[in-house]
Amino acid sequence: MTALSTGSYRIALIPGDGIGPEVIPPATAVLDAVGRRHGLTFAYDGFDWSCERYATEGAMMPDDGLDRIRRHDAILLGAVGRPGVPDHVSLWGLLIPIRRAFAQYVNLRPITVFEGVGSPLSRARPGEVPAAEGGVDLVVVRENSEGEYSEIGGRFGHGTAGELAVQEAVFTRTGVSRIADFGFDLATRRRDRLVSATKSNGIVHTMPFWDEVVAERAAAFPGVEWRSEHIDALAAKIVLDPSSFDVVLASNLFGDVLSDLAAAVAGSIGIAPSGNLDPSGDHPSMFEPVHGSAPDIAGRGIANPLGAIWSAGLMLTHLGHPEAGDEVLAAIRDALRDGSVRTGDLGGTASTDEMTAAVLKRVGA
Ligand code: NAI
Ligand code: MG
């Protein structure tokens, strides 16, 4: 890998399916424009790994796929998924192998309400407003490498009355410790508040273990005010009082569900970004919008590119350029506040290109 301090980066692009290839060019255009202001240059290598490829060649990516992107500085992914290809094929044939082989054990999902984007919750206010006055600005830190998404298990007695399926959740001390450390450390750089999602009343082995390890790690961050909350009550509270949350720490499954819920609370899934991070920097991290391939609107040039653009902003921050990442977020915020250009998911009629141009002109392109 290139040292993080240099200004020249090689990025692997995996546009994927559906609207994925429509939202990646906007993200690279913004990267290039912001990069010019900060002395950063990006070289891109595109990969056609997708359900499209699976349909023609029988695999989402080639056998040596991971080796082809191992030395890149980061990966930018659009979305994968296509009607006719089972979703577990696209997930286990591409996303999960990348996340696991590259030790991307953090799934980071910032969520904020933007002025100009209507939250379905009448009391939710833009993220810049203090939380005490209803401003919604939180980040879900999801464990991304183990937990409930394990391959251990099996099915027995297919088609018989006695058929059964078993799936084992796997929680390790290493895995829980490192995600807890990441979450608490992030809290110290935000508002010193963290809530850990649990379900130790119903899931009697793994969740008490999660709680114990999180409590142990918390001791190293005495300045962070934190508590555990059961996932059911927590889900309800994210709807009723989203401004009361800052860092939300969660296992793989709980974090997956909570982050989509929180993104919906913020107004549109088309805006939400995510980073799959290997905080050690030993492997490339992968950045992708939260949304899927949206086959219902694909090919029409109307997808909201902001989720992919904000993901590129997260990538800049991860590569060691937080001021450049903040500039991307500020441009998104300003374009949404202005409100004259909005894609269909935000109640407007703008095209992907028009929405992209609204961001580009705010980063000096
Ligand atoms: P989806 O996120 O693709 O679409 C849900 C709804 O939101 C659709 O009505 C869609 O038009 C709209 N939408 C999503 N992104 C948008 C954007 N950028 N601009 C405007 N509207 C947008 O979720 P869905 O329909 O459940 O899944 C479609 C496919 O995507 C499936 O094959 C699924 O497995 C896959 N998927 C892939 C993900 C990934 O690559 N990480 C994540 C989620 C789903
Ligand atoms: Mg999800």
Side-chain angles (χ1 to χ4, degrees), residues 31 96-97 112 117 169 174 199 201 264 280 295 329 335 347 349 354:
L31 271 180
I96 290 186
T112 193
V117 178
T174 302
K199 190 62 194 173
N201 54 353
S280 75
L329 183 56
T349 55
E354 288 162 342

mmCIF file of all heavy atoms in Angstrom, residues 31 96-97 112 117 169 174 199 201 264 280 295 329 335 347 349 354:
data_model
loop_
_atom_site.group_PDB
_atom_site.id
_atom_site.type_symbol
_atom_site.label_atom_id
_atom_site.label_comp_id
_atom_site.label_asym_id
_atom_site.label_seq_id
_atom_site.Cartn_x
_atom_site.Cartn_y
_atom_site.Cartn_z
ATOM 1 N N LEU A 31 -14.316 13.457 -6.055
ATOM 2 C CA LEU A 31 -12.977 13.161 -5.513
ATOM 3 C C LEU A 31 -11.910 13.947 -6.262
ATOM 4 O O LEU A 31 -11.024 14.559 -5.653
ATOM 5 C CB LEU A 31 -12.662 11.671 -5.682
ATOM 6 C CG LEU A 31 -13.056 10.702 -4.590
ATOM 7 C CD1 LEU A 31 -12.641 9.290 -5.005
ATOM 8 C CD2 LEU A 31 -12.423 11.072 -3.257
ATOM 9 N N ILE A 96 -18.920 -9.913 1.253
ATOM 10 C CA ILE A 96 -18.424 -10.524 2.488
ATOM 11 C C ILE A 96 -16.988 -11.031 2.333
ATOM 12 O O ILE A 96 -16.164 -10.791 3.218
ATOM 13 C CB ILE A 96 -19.421 -11.577 3.019
ATOM 14 C CG1 ILE A 96 -20.660 -10.820 3.533
ATOM 15 C CG2 ILE A 96 -18.785 -12.430 4.127
ATOM 16 C CD1 ILE A 96 -21.704 -11.622 4.230
ATOM 17 N N PRO A 97 -16.614 -11.661 1.190
ATOM 18 C CA PRO A 97 -15.194 -12.019 1.029
ATOM 19 C C PRO A 97 -14.264 -10.805 1.124
ATOM 20 O O PRO A 97 -13.198 -10.897 1.746
ATOM 21 C CB PRO A 97 -15.140 -12.640 -0.369
ATOM 22 C CG PRO A 97 -16.512 -13.145 -0.623
ATOM 23 C CD PRO A 97 -17.444 -12.220 0.115
ATOM 24 N N THR A 112 -27.189 11.787 9.391
ATOM 25 C CA THR A 112 -27.553 13.116 9.868
ATOM 26 C C THR A 112 -28.773 13.598 9.104
ATOM 27 O O THR A 112 -29.042 13.136 7.993
ATOM 28 C CB THR A 112 -26.357 14.091 9.716
ATOM 29 O OG1 THR A 112 -26.618 15.279 10.435
ATOM 30 C CG2 THR A 112 -26.074 14.426 8.277
ATOM 31 N N VAL A 117 -34.060 18.404 3.571
ATOM 32 C CA VAL A 117 -34.500 17.022 3.374
ATOM 33 C C VAL A 117 -35.501 16.714 4.475
ATOM 34 O O VAL A 117 -35.176 16.790 5.653
ATOM 35 C CB VAL A 117 -33.319 16.033 3.489
ATOM 36 C CG1 VAL A 117 -33.804 14.597 3.332
ATOM 37 C CG2 VAL A 117 -32.270 16.348 2.441
ATOM 38 N N ALA A 169 -23.960 -18.080 15.908
ATOM 39 C CA ALA A 169 -23.344 -16.759 15.989
ATOM 40 C C ALA A 169 -21.966 -16.924 16.633
ATOM 41 O O ALA A 169 -21.797 -17.744 17.525
ATOM 42 C CB ALA A 169 -24.200 -15.825 16.824
ATOM 43 N N THR A 174 -11.312 -10.954 20.744
ATOM 44 C CA THR A 174 -10.592 -10.040 19.846
ATOM 45 C C THR A 174 -11.575 -9.183 19.052
ATOM 46 O O THR A 174 -11.418 -7.967 18.941
ATOM 47 C CB THR A 174 -9.731 -10.855 18.852
ATOM 48 O OG1 THR A 174 -8.830 -11.659 19.599
ATOM 49 C CG2 THR A 174 -8.960 -9.957 17.906
ATOM 50 N N LYS A 199 -28.898 -7.637 23.640
ATOM 51 C CA LYS A 199 -30.152 -8.372 23.814
ATOM 52 C C LYS A 199 -29.860 -9.502 24.792
ATOM 53 O O LYS A 199 -30.149 -10.665 24.543
ATOM 54 C CB LYS A 199 -30.641 -8.904 22.450
ATOM 55 C CG LYS A 199 -32.059 -9.472 22.470
ATOM 56 C CD LYS A 199 -33.129 -8.462 22.829
ATOM 57 C CE LYS A 199 -34.436 -9.152 23.161
ATOM 58 N NZ LYS A 199 -35.470 -8.213 23.680
ATOM 59 N N ASN A 201 -31.033 -10.224 27.492
ATOM 60 C CA ASN A 201 -32.137 -10.900 28.186
ATOM 61 C C ASN A 201 -32.612 -12.112 27.389
ATOM 62 O O ASN A 201 -32.994 -13.130 27.961
ATOM 63 C CB ASN A 201 -33.294 -9.925 28.461
ATOM 64 C CG ASN A 201 -33.778 -9.202 27.219
ATOM 65 O OD1 ASN A 201 -33.187 -9.310 26.153
ATOM 66 N ND2 ASN A 201 -34.856 -8.449 27.349
ATOM 67 N N ALA A 264 -33.311 5.828 7.272
ATOM 68 C CA ALA A 264 -34.680 6.171 6.868
ATOM 69 C C ALA A 264 -35.203 7.340 7.695
ATOM 70 O O ALA A 264 -35.882 8.235 7.182
ATOM 71 C CB ALA A 264 -35.596 4.956 7.015
ATOM 72 N N SER A 280 -6.306 -0.646 10.871
ATOM 73 C CA SER A 280 -4.850 -0.809 10.918
ATOM 74 C C SER A 280 -4.185 -0.280 9.655
ATOM 75 O O SER A 280 -2.993 0.006 9.647
ATOM 76 C CB SER A 280 -4.497 -2.292 11.070
ATOM 77 O OG SER A 280 -4.688 -2.962 9.830
ATOM 78 N N PRO A 295 -33.154 -1.637 -8.823
ATOM 79 C CA PRO A 295 -33.536 -2.011 -10.197
ATOM 80 C C PRO A 295 -34.767 -1.266 -10.708
ATOM 81 O O PRO A 295 -34.930 -1.080 -11.920
ATOM 82 C CB PRO A 295 -33.801 -3.524 -10.107
ATOM 83 C CG PRO A 295 -33.678 -3.918 -8.678
ATOM 84 C CD PRO A 295 -33.067 -2.794 -7.909
ATOM 85 N N LEU A 329 -18.714 16.849 2.609
ATOM 86 C CA LEU A 329 -19.957 16.884 3.386
ATOM 87 C C LEU A 329 -20.570 18.287 3.375
ATOM 88 O O LEU A 329 -21.791 18.445 3.248
ATOM 89 C CB LEU A 329 -19.677 16.414 4.822
ATOM 90 C CG LEU A 329 -20.904 16.332 5.734
ATOM 91 C CD1 LEU A 329 -21.978 15.428 5.138
ATOM 92 C CD2 LEU A 329 -20.500 15.817 7.124
ATOM 93 N N ALA A 335 -25.751 22.037 -0.923
ATOM 94 C CA ALA A 335 -26.610 21.755 -2.093
ATOM 95 C C ALA A 335 -28.024 21.391 -1.633
ATOM 96 O O ALA A 335 -29.018 21.814 -2.241
ATOM 97 C CB ALA A 335 -26.005 20.630 -2.924
ATOM 98 N N GLY A 347 -38.045 14.171 -3.502
ATOM 99 C CA GLY A 347 -39.245 14.912 -3.879
ATOM 100 C C GLY A 347 -39.044 15.860 -5.046
ATOM 101 O O GLY A 347 -39.918 16.661 -5.357
ATOM 102 N N THR A 349 -37.155 16.602 -9.215
ATOM 103 C CA THR A 349 -37.176 16.010 -10.554
ATOM 104 C C THR A 349 -35.792 16.017 -11.195
ATOM 105 O O THR A 349 -35.646 15.732 -12.381
ATOM 106 C CB THR A 349 -38.121 16.808 -11.489
ATOM 107 O OG1 THR A 349 -37.715 18.186 -11.475
ATOM 108 C CG2 THR A 349 -39.566 16.717 -11.030
ATOM 109 N N GLU A 354 -27.501 16.414 -12.759
ATOM 110 C CA GLU A 354 -27.798 17.748 -12.201
ATOM 111 C C GLU A 354 -27.460 17.806 -10.708
ATOM 112 O O GLU A 354 -26.920 18.797 -10.215
ATOM 113 C CB GLU A 354 -29.265 18.107 -12.444
ATOM 114 C CG GLU A 354 -29.546 18.412 -13.908
ATOM 115 C CD GLU A 354 -31.038 18.358 -14.283
ATOM 116 O OE1 GLU A 354 -31.844 17.758 -13.530
ATOM 117 O OE2 GLU A 354 -31.379 18.915 -15.344
#
